[in-house]
Amino acid sequence: MDLVPRRRLWLNVIAVGGLFVIAGLLAGHWATHRADAASPVAPPVAPPAALARTLDVLASDSLAAWTRAGMLAAAAAMAMLVYVVRRHRTDDYGGGYRVWLWAAAWMLAMSADAVGRLRDAWQAIWIAETAWTGPGDGVLWWAVPCLLAAATIGVRLVLDMRECRVSTVWFCAAAIVWTVGQALAAIGPMFADRLRWDLAAAGCSLAGQWFLFVAMNWHARHVVLDASGELRARKKKKKKLRGAAASDSGEGDLTTLSAAAAVAGTAASAESTKRQAFRAATASTTPTATSNLDTSKSPPTLAAKLTFGGRAAHDSAGGANQLSKAERKKLKREIRRAA
């Protein structure tokens, strides 16, 4: 873990420094091969063949090939470091960390191919076994398996690297630029001279391999910080749509209306309860048949004097008589007791 830089400044310095190295390799190739593309009228002095071979970005035994092998080997080492740290993660129930072991093996194979040209040996074996060259002088024999393996491992890596956006962007950029470089090298010069076309193809390939190392470096830093508890948590912004706000306000209005209706219903039920209690008290104290009572001998009761509307009842002795204040208080106490 000590080999992983944790400061963003050093990671950016490493990324820019690698681009300067690639630019130097391309400049050396142009300086040693411009005599071949120059005008025959005044050709520049041709450099020694050994120097031209050393600075050739397309040769497998040159400084550029050694740089490719070194970048891919370093990327494989970072992928192996990620595997060692990621396998201790407790929430990885599906075992997604194993893809980093496959990625490290794949990058190590590409590092060996940068110097040993394993693709040429694979292509020659299949052409000899099947006696069929195919389109592109047998390029499909190694291009199709490489594309399938790279697509499978690449998709799995992107799914596992999506927690770190920086490493994901670098990895996607590496895949795009490297594919463009391989395509330019496969189809040959079409829109420019040979020297410029070779520089473009080699530059894209070198840049893609360097972007891959930078992506592995950034993700190794992310995994190390996550394992040590130094990774800062992202702040999630709460977004509220207008429709959601309108629905919330509508629900609030409905809630208010329902509460008001409940209060009104409670008041109405209380009022009806009081009326029923009043009627029950009146019915219990009022005689069922006033004709059977002898009003001349016994004084009328309090309930007998009360009729609907609070009017006094007319007795047989004559005269309307209204309730007094004391009688009204007594009647209210009876109604409360009955309720």
Side-chain angles (χ1 to χ4, degrees):
M1 294 184 183
D2 295 336
L3 299 177
V4 180
R6 301 191 180 188
R7 297 184 60 183
R8 294 176 179 266
L9 176 62
W10 290 113
L11 290 172
N12 294 327
V13 168
I14 292 173
V16 175
L19 295 178
F20 278 109
V21 172
I22 294 173
L25 292 174
L26 296 178
H29 180 85
W30 176 82
T32 54
H33 291 78
R34 61 176 180 171
D36 300 334
S39 175
V41 178
V45 179
L51 181 60
R53 185 68 178 178
T54 302
L55 298 178
D56 190 359
V57 293
L58 301 178
S60 59
D61 55 348
S62 62
L63 190 60
W66 175 79
T67 305
R68 289 193 184 94
M71 290 189 297
L72 292 172
M78 286 297 174
M80 195 66 191
L81 188 144
V82 173
Y83 167 76
V84 171
V85 179
R86 274 279 285 106
R87 66 176 180 173
H88 297 289
R89 189 169 175 176
T90 57
D91 59 347
D92 191 1
Y93 304 107
Y97 64 91
R98 296 187 183 93
V99 69
W100 290 100
L101 189 62
W102 289 96
W106 180 249
M107 295 174 193
L108 195 61
M110 288 189 295
S111 175
D113 177 72
V115 178
R117 301 296 296 178
L118 299 180
R119 68 182 73 179
D120 295 340
W122 179 268
Q123 176 182 336
I125 290 173
W126 282 103
I127 291 176
E129 291 293 333
T130 60
W132 181 69
T133 304
D137 295 333
V139 176
L140 293 180
W141 284 115
W142 64 266
V144 174
C146 289
L147 287 176
L148 292 177
T152 304
I153 297 176
V155 171
R156 291 290 304 274
L157 283 179
V158 169
L159 293 177
D160 196 81
M161 294 171 61
R162 57 186 176 181
E163 296 181 357
C164 182
R165 298 177 181 177
V166 181
S167 62
T168 306
V169 171
W170 278 106
F171 184 79
C172 294
I176 294 173
V177 176
W178 198 350
T179 304
V180 171
Q182 293 296 324
L184 293 177
I187 62 178
M190 295 179 62
F191 308 106
D193 56 359
R194 186 71 186 183
L195 179 59
R196 295 179 181 178
W197 194 271
D198 291 344
L199 287 175
C204 290
S205 298
L206 288 169
Q209 293 157 4
W210 180 248
F211 290 170
L212 179 62
F213 169 71
V214 174
M216 294 298 106
N217 211 358
W218 273 95
H219 199 73
R221 170 188 176 271
H222 174 81
V223 170
V224 169
L225 291 180
D226 189 17
S228 60
E230 300 178 10
L231 190 64
R232 297 179 181 179
R234 297 178 182 174
K235 296 181 180 179
K236 296 183 179 180
K237 297 181 180 180
K238 296 181 180 180
K239 296 182 180 179
K240 192 173 184 180
L241 301 178
R242 295 181 179 179
S247 62
D248 293 343
S249 62
E251 291 177 359
D253 295 340
L254 291 176
T255 306
T256 305
L257 292 176
S258 61
V263 173
T266 305
S269 61
E271 186 67 23
S272 62
T273 304
K274 289 182 180 180
R275 290 180 181 178
Q276 291 177 1
F278 175 75
R279 290 174 184 176
T282 305
S284 62
T285 55
T286 304
T288 56
T290 55
S291 58
N292 296 330
L293 296 176
D294 188 5
T295 56
S296 60
K297 294 181 180 180
S298 58
T301 60
L302 182 62
K305 294 182 181 180
L306 187 64
T307 58
F308 183 78
R311 296 289 181 178
H314 293 277
D315 55 348
S316 58
N321 189 11
Q322 197 172 4
L323 292 174
S324 64
K325 186 175 181 180
E327 291 174 344
R328 287 197 298 272
K329 289 183 179 180
K330 186 178 180 180
L331 180 61
K332 288 180 180 180
R333 285 194 297 268
E334 292 180 1
I335 291 175
R336 292 194 191 98
R337 292 172 185 172

